[in-house]
């Protein structure tokens, strides 16, 4: 363990055990010293509760007797393995040694100083729970326990990282989860051999099926209700200590378009919002490309009056349309990144004001046309309608090759790029589940919950891509009929 400034070695004597020498070891910043003083040192040094029979400890073992009556911490465990003792100290536990004893005692006296449970900033909803995951894995597990009180709910503990020994917890319902998928998740996690895991993104990169793809294949969330819904659907949640982002597998493309708020509103509104997101997804990756191909190759497809206005706006612009688009897209990405890194109090203001000034200045200086600025702004706004931030980042990258293809081959290049994206999505898998399921291959029971938000009473089966043991979610008829008219 070495002689670090925060590692405490405290020697003392237990009078009742014939002045036996004892030693406790702990890291001062990770334990509650008041608990150590009150519940460990005071009972042992004052001995108010140790038995009067002097030979009782000799018959039963000193360590075992301390567990029974000498210490009053919530958790105490005896071990003779040095690795277990060192790991316990590093995790915030306290280790007690007794002179002449062949084993030691691990005492739980951790200091619970964590960020309070708050609403997630990145996944806000109008209606729904206001609590979010925090950086403590045990607290996150409790948030799921509060929602799912099934006897078959399982929490499987792993440690990954040679130096960080990060706690990773698999959460699933044993009577629902597919055993093959669960076995594959365990295999991929146990295969990770790295010095440290600091965030769930480390785990994501190690276990996803196609790490070289621009599209994420594992969904993450800060919302306990969203993770609980995934577990109830037969999926597996992966909690990682020291991060509030929980992973959920297997994942399909449509999970990134759905929002937990869709299921907290009437299904008509949820369906309408889902259509808006699909339209926003298309516009966010296509508007810049459509501008380039229409102004460079296919002017006849633009209405005459609009074509004249665009041509008048581009009068004096020294660059072709593709250079214009690349300049504005790159400037927009820089403004986004700068706004993200700046303090919150001024980040949004600087982002909006900077975009407005740069756009207006570029048009006034004759560097770009006003129509392109409008197209770039609409595409940027549409990108924020995608609920999943990691999918939003992927769409930001896809725009650039589409602009390039549109500038070289026109509409044929644009269509070829869209086809390449679709073919790539068809080739992806997430723990055996096709990435575009249940649309491709077609699963009628799950397909109706892709482009529409099906009514709650019609969602009688769990999603087929997770291959749950129990497919049925509802039994019998849940929808009530209108009651009789009440007469006076």
């Amino acid at each position: 363990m070495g002689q670090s400034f925060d590692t405490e070695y405290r020697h003392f004597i237990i009078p009742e055990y014939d002045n036996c020498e004892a030693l406790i070891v702990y890291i001062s910043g990770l334990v509650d010293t008041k608990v150590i003083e009150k519940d460990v040192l005071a009972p042992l040094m004052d001995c108010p509760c140790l038995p009067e029979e002097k030979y009782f400890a000799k018959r039963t073992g000193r360590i075992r007797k301390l567990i029974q009556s000498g210490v009053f911490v919530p958790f105490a465990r005896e071990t003779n393995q040095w690795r277990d003792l060192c790991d316990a100290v590093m995790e915030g536990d306290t280790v007690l040694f007794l002179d002449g004893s062949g084993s030691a005692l691990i005492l739980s006296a951790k200091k619970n100083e964590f960020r309070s449970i708050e609403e997630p900033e990145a996944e806000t909803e109008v209606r729904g729970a206001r609590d979010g995951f925090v950086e403590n894995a045990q607290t996150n597990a409790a948030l799921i326990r509060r929602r799912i009180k099934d006897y078959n709910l399982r929490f499987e503990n792993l440690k990954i990282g040679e130096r960080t020994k990060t706690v990773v917890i698999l959460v699933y319902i044993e009577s629902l989860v597919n055993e093959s998928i669960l076995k594959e998740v365990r295999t991929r996690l146990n295969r990770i051999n790295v010095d440290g895991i600091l965030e769930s993104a480390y785990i994501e990169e190690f276990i996803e099926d196609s790490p070289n793809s621009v599209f994420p294949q594992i969904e993450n969330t800060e919302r306990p209700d969203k993770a609980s819904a995934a577990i109830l659907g037969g999926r597996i949640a992966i909690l990682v200590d020291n991060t509030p982002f929980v992973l959920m597998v297997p994942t399909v493309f449509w999970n990134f378009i759905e929002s937990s708020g869709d299921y907290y509103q009437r299904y008509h509104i949820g369906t309408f919002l889902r259509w808006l997101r699909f339209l926003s997804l298309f516009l966010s990756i296509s508007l810049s490309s459509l501008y380039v191909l229409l102004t460079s190759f296919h002017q006849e497809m633009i209405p005459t009056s609009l074509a004249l206005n665009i041509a008048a706006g581009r009068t004096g612009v020294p660059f072709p349309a593709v250079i214009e688009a690349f300049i504005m897209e790159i400037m927009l990405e820089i403004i986004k990144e700068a706004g993200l890194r700046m303090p919150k109090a001024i980040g949004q203001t600087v982002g909006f004001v900077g975009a407005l000034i740069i756009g207006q200045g570029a048009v006034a200086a004759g560097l770009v046309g006003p129509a392109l600025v409008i197209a770039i702004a609409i595409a940027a706004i549409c990108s924020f309608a995608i609920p999943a931030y990691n999918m939003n980042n992927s769409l930001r990258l896809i725009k650039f090759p589409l602009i390039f293809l549109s500038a070289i081959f026109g509409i044929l290049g644009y269509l070829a790029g869209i086809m390449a994206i679709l073919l790539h999505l068809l080739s992806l898998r997430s723990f055996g589940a096709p990435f575009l399921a249940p649309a491709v291959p077609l699963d009628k029971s799950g397909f109706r919950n892709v482009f529409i938000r099906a009514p709650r009473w019609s969602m009688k089966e769990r999603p087929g891509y997770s291959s749950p043991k129990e497919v049925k979610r509802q039994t019998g008829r849940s929808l009530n009929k209108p009651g009789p008219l009440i007469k006076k």
Side-chain angles (χ1 to χ4, degrees):
M1 297 288 297
Q3 297 293 331
S4 300
F5 79 97
D6 60 345
T7 305
E8 300 289 343
Y9 299 88
R10 183 162 180 178
H11 297 265
F12 62 98
I13 292 176
I14 303 178
E16 189 67 18
Y17 286 172
D18 297 328
N19 293 325
C20 174
E21 295 185 5
L23 166 69
I24 58 173
V25 183
Y26 59 89
I27 297 177
S28 58
L30 299 180
V31 304
D32 190 341
T33 55
K34 293 182 180 179
V35 174
I36 297 295
E37 295 288 343
K38 179 182 177 181
D39 297 337
V40 178
L41 293 178
L44 293 180
M45 298 177 71
D46 296 339
C47 304
C49 61
L50 293 181
E52 295 181 358
E53 186 180 353
K54 295 184 179 180
Y55 299 101
F56 182 84
K58 294 183 179 180
R59 293 200 308 267
T60 61
R62 290 178 171 179
I63 292 294
R64 187 174 302 174
K65 184 54 195 172
L66 289 181
I67 295 177
Q68 296 176 0
S69 61
V71 292
F72 300 96
V73 294
F75 171 81
R77 177 168 62 92
E78 181 181 2
T79 182
N80 58 1
Q81 300 295 321
W82 278 108
R83 187 177 185 85
D84 293 342
L85 295 174
C86 293
D87 288 346
V89 174
M90 287 297 181
E91 291 175 3
D93 291 326
T94 302
V95 174
L96 170 65
F97 297 93
L98 292 182
D99 187 26
S101 177
S103 59
L105 190 60
I106 298 176
L107 308 173
S108 177
K110 295 179 182 178
K111 183 188 297 183
N112 296 319
E113 291 185 354
F114 304 104
R115 180 171 62 91
S116 60
I117 298 175
E118 301 171 348
E119 182 179 4
E121 294 184 3
E123 295 180 84
T124 56
E125 296 291 348
V126 176
R127 182 174 180 178
R130 293 290 186 260
D131 57 346
F133 288 125
V134 295
E135 285 75 14
N136 182 261
Q138 293 182 348
T139 303
N140 295 340
L143 291 174
I144 295 177
R145 280 280 190 192
R146 289 176 57 186
R147 288 168 168 82
I148 305 177
K149 299 178 177 63
D150 193 327
Y151 300 150
N152 293 300
L153 183 64
R154 300 289 180 263
F155 292 84
E156 194 171 317
N157 197 347
L158 304 172
K159 286 186 180 180
I160 302 178
E162 291 294 326
R163 298 187 182 276
T164 60
K165 296 179 175 62
T166 305
V167 176
V168 177
I169 303 175
L170 299 182
V171 189
Y172 56 90
I173 297 178
E174 191 173 21
S175 58
L176 294 181
V177 70
N178 183 279
E179 292 293 340
S180 299
I181 297 177
L182 179 60
K183 182 179 179 181
E184 181 65 21
V185 173
R186 289 188 188 129
T187 302
R188 296 188 188 186
L189 289 175
N190 291 326
R191 194 183 297 147
I192 299 175
N193 186 10
V194 69
D195 60 342
I197 299 293
L198 301 180
E199 217 274 340
S200 58
Y202 287 45
I203 301 289
E204 182 177 352
E205 285 195 51
F206 277 116
I207 67 174
E208 62 184 357
D209 289 65
S210 302
N212 294 323
S213 174
V214 69
F215 291 99
Q217 298 124 59
I218 297 178
E219 188 182 9
N220 66 74
T221 184
E222 290 183 87
R223 298 186 62 92
D225 54 348
K226 191 172 183 178
S228 300
I231 295 170
L232 290 172
R235 300 167 67 191
I236 302 170
I238 303 176
L239 311 182
V240 182
D241 201 17
N242 300 316
T243 175
F245 290 93
V246 172
L247 306 179
M248 296 171 288
V249 296
T251 300
V252 295
F253 177 79
W254 319 108
N255 293 140
F256 298 104
I257 309 300
E258 298 174 358
S259 172
S260 56
D262 294 349
Y263 300 93
Y264 301 149
Q265 305 182 66
R266 298 186 66 82
Y267 67 90
H268 313 85
I269 304 300
T271 300
F272 174 69
L273 295 177
R274 198 165 291 183
W275 288 349
L276 283 182
R277 294 193 196 107
F278 282 113
L279 176 61
S280 299
L281 187 150
F282 171 75
L283 293 178
S284 64
I285 65 174
S286 300
L287 272 181
S288 301
S289 303
L290 293 176
Y291 174 84
V292 171
L293 68 89
L294 289 176
T295 56
S296 301
F297 293 94
H298 308 285
Q299 296 88 349
E300 70 279 358
M301 298 177 64
I302 310 175
T304 304
S305 58
L306 179 58
L308 292 175
N309 291 333
I310 294 176
R314 296 194 71 248
T315 302
V317 175
F319 306 111
V322 60
I323 302 299
E324 283 184 85
F326 271 112
I327 291 175
M328 291 306 298
E329 287 286 0
I330 291 174
M331 288 305 303
L332 179 63
E333 296 300 328
I334 293 175
I335 291 173
K336 284 183 181 179
E337 191 68 15
L340 182 65
R341 305 301 169 197
M342 297 184 72
K344 292 183 179 180
I346 61 175
Q348 293 183 351
T349 303
V350 171
F352 284 116
V353 174
L356 180 63
I357 293 176
I358 291 175
Q360 183 65 32
V363 172
L367 297 178
V368 297
L372 175 63
V373 175
I374 295 174
I376 296 293
I378 294 176
I381 294 173
C382 289
S383 67
F384 293 118
I386 308 302
Y389 182 73
N390 52 352
M391 179 58 71
N392 187 5
N393 287 336
S394 299
L395 299 179
R396 291 163 65 179
L397 294 178
I398 291 173
K399 293 186 295 185
F400 294 100
L402 282 179
I403 294 173
F404 181 75
L405 290 173
S406 300
I408 297 178
F409 303 106
I411 193 170
L412 294 179
Y414 170 77
L415 294 177
I418 295 296
M419 290 298 296
I421 293 172
L422 291 176
L423 291 174
H424 176 66
L425 290 174
L426 286 170
S427 68
L428 295 179
R429 298 286 184 274
S430 178
F431 290 88
F435 197 54
L436 292 183
V440 181
L442 180 62
D443 179 9
K444 294 182 179 180
S445 61
F447 181 74
R448 59 187 175 183
N449 197 33
V450 172
F451 295 103
I452 65 171
R453 201 285 260 176
R456 181 73 59 187
W457 40 264
S458 69
M459 293 189 292
K460 297 185 178 181
E461 297 181 354
R462 292 182 173 85
Y465 63 84
S466 60
S467 302
K469 293 179 181 177
E470 296 181 9
V471 178
K472 290 292 183 181
R473 188 189 292 269
Q474 301 181 33
T475 57
R477 181 182 176 87
S478 300
L479 179 64
N480 293 321
K481 295 181 178 180
L485 181 63
I486 299 177
K487 298 180 180 180
K488 292 184 181 180

